[in-house]
């Protein structure tokens, strides 16, 4: 039922009045890392934060590409900025494949050598929703491995830097891009015994939903364990982006809902707003999950099952033991 509801109608909510041009306070001196920032929502998030906050540096972390591809990703951001901003905000490209522990570890080391020993805002934005089944190079269900576990490892590797940054800036944040797709997860939210398999019994909606439940749970648990860092999970809204390319080709339900979906999709500019809000607004309460823009949503399995976030944290600690230090 949830799959049909979300696929056909999306979710509609009252929104906070948030205008990046008016509401983003200066981010002077700050260092920001955004995963998946060569993609649509990540790129727009980088543009909004650079244009209106003028941080010292934004690191665009995305799948490795050749020199022309790196330049294309950076110039898509640079050319959207006024010339004086483009010359003051340093942009770097950080290659990372979130489906590989080895790649995540080398990206974290490379980030530490790129940046000035600080990380003020970490935005976990990259994501996939493939129709096909598969596992990551470390043997985890592909969608869960990229969307959740890869991000969990990256976060653990960068936590010492995030924590030490609080001595320079008390407003250090982690923003986690989840999805209303959490409602499509299998019963219970996370089926732990599928996580090291291809999860053949779960269709793409269920696998995507499971990974997004995990991200909402991750935000909740991070907020409890690291109260000096403000953490929020968000749903961006429904936007036509690179995320749906494979779905449009292979999923009958998406093709069926195509004519309707144009009435519920929004623009990339509006779609990036909730994560930009979560990265900058003083109203953010750590550990919560927000739908656009800035509206708390407690109707998730993570709230219904108060033990889920803790169980996921324990499971993750076990899986990442030995790889979560540089
Ligand atoms: N669009 C929506 O309606 C919607 C709704 C709810 C939630 N979201 C979430 O919003 C986030 C951003 O998605 P988007 O809509 O902007 O889609 P997108 O344009 O496809 O951006 C996703 C980015 O993640 C990158 N990526 C994919 N696999 C990766 C990996 N293994 N390692 C590192 N990076 C990887 C992609 O790189 P390539 O392009 O090179 O593959 C792409 O740049 C995702 O977490 C998504 O789940 C989107």
């Amino acid at each position: 039922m949830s799959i049909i509801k979300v696929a056909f109608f999306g979710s509609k909510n009252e929104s906070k009045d948030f205008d990046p041009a008016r509401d983003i306070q200066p981010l002077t001196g700050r260092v920001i890392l955004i995963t998946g920032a060569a993609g649509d929502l990540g790129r727009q998030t980088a543009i909004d934060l650079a244009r209106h906050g003028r941080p010292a540096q934004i690191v665009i972390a995305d799948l490795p590409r050749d020199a022309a591809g790196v330049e294309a990703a950076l110039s898509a951001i640079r050319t959207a900025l006024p010339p004086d901003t483009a010359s003051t905000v340093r942009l770097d490209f950080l290659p990372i494949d979130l489906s590989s522990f080895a790649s995540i570890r080398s990206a974290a080391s490379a980030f530490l050598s790129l940046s000035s020993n600080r990380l003020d805002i970490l935005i976990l934005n990259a994501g996939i929703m493939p129709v096909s089944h598969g596992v990551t190079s470390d043997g985890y269900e592909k969608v869960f491995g990229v969307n959740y576990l890869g991000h969990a490892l990256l976060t653990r590797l960068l936590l010492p830097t995030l924590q030490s940054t609080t001595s320079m800036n008390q407003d250090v944040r982690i923003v986690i891009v989840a999805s209303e797709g959490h409602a499509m997860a299998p019963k219970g939210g996370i089926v732990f015994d599928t996580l090291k398999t291809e999860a053949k019994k779960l269709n793409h909606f269920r696998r995507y939903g499971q990974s997004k439940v995990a991200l909402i749970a991750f935000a909740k648990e991070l907020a409890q364990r690291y109260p000096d860092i403000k953490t929020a999970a968000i749903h961006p809204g429904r936007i036509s982006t690179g995320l749906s390319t494979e779905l449009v080709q292979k999923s009958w339900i998406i093709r069926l809902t195509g004519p309707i979906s144009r009435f519920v999709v929004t623009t990339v500019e509006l779609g990036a707003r909730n994560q930009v809000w979560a990265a900058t607004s003083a109203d953010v309460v750590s550990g919560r999950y927000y739908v656009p823009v800035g509206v708390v949503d407690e109707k998730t399995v993570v709230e219904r099952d108060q033990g889920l976030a803790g169980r996921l944290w324990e499971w993750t600690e076990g899986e990442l033991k030995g790889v979560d230090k540089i």
Side-chain angles (χ1 to χ4, degrees), residues 149-208:
L149 193 59
H151 276 138
L153 175 57
L154 178 67
T155 305
R156 290 173 85 92
L157 294 169
L158 297 179
L159 266 168
T161 312
L162 287 158
Q163 283 191 291
S164 64
T165 305
T166 59
S167 64
M168 296 171 246
N169 162 26
Q170 289 185 349
D171 190 8
V172 172
R173 301 193 183 203
I174 302 174
V175 176
I176 300 179
V177 181
S179 170
E180 68 183 356
H182 72 77
M184 307 190 293
K187 194 160 179 276
I190 300 172
V191 186
F192 285 86
D193 63 10
T194 64
L195 303 181
K196 286 170 101 167
T197 73
E198 288 191 20
K200 283 280 192 198
K201 288 192 177 149
L202 300 181
N203 69 24
H204 53 277
F205 287 126
R206 297 261 183 248
R207 285 179 283 122
Y208 182 72

Side-chain angles (χ1 to χ4, degrees), residues 45-224:
T45 301
I47 291 169
D48 284 345
L49 293 174
R51 184 187 287 151
H52 306 298
R54 293 177 173 230
Q57 183 184 11
I58 303 185
V59 179
I60 309 306
D62 210 305
L63 283 169
R65 51 201 79 209
D66 63 17
V70 168
E71 183 44 35
L74 295 179
S75 78
I77 297 167
R78 211 181 288 121
T79 54
L81 300 175
D84 60 329
T85 308
S87 59
T88 40
V89 181
R90 176 177 159 183
L91 293 179
D92 287 289
F93 186 87
L94 182 72
I96 185 169
D97 181 351
L98 288 159
S99 72
S100 153
F101 288 170
S103 172
I104 297 163
R105 285 165 57 82
S106 32
S109 304
F111 169 75
L112 296 178
S113 56
L114 266 184
S115 91
S116 47
N117 294 331
R118 67 187 285 172
L119 177 56
D120 300 82
I121 306 174
L122 171 63
I123 305 182
L124 306 177
N125 163 80
I128 57 170
M129 186 165 38
V131 174
S132 54
H133 289 84
V135 292
T136 66
S137 32
D138 304 286
Y140 296 89
E141 191 285 309
K142 190 165 64 179
V143 186
F144 191 84
V146 170
N147 293 0
Y148 167 70
L149 193 59
H151 276 138
L153 175 57
L154 178 67
T155 305
R156 290 173 85 92
L157 294 169
L158 297 179
L159 266 168
T161 312
L162 287 158
Q163 283 191 291
S164 64
T165 305
T166 59
S167 64
M168 296 171 246
N169 162 26
Q170 289 185 349
D171 190 8
V172 172
R173 301 193 183 203
I174 302 174
V175 176
I176 300 179
V177 181
S179 170
E180 68 183 356
H182 72 77
M184 307 190 293
K187 194 160 179 276
I190 300 172
V191 186
F192 285 86
D193 63 10
T194 64
L195 303 181
K196 286 170 101 167
T197 73
E198 288 191 20
K200 283 280 192 198
K201 288 192 177 149
L202 300 181
N203 69 24
H204 53 277
F205 287 126
R206 297 261 183 248
R207 285 179 283 122
Y208 182 72
Q210 172 166 264
S211 75
K212 295 298 183 178
V213 165
L215 287 168
I216 295 169
F218 188 38
K220 181 176 178 182
E221 200 66 19
L222 275 171
Q224 275 180 14

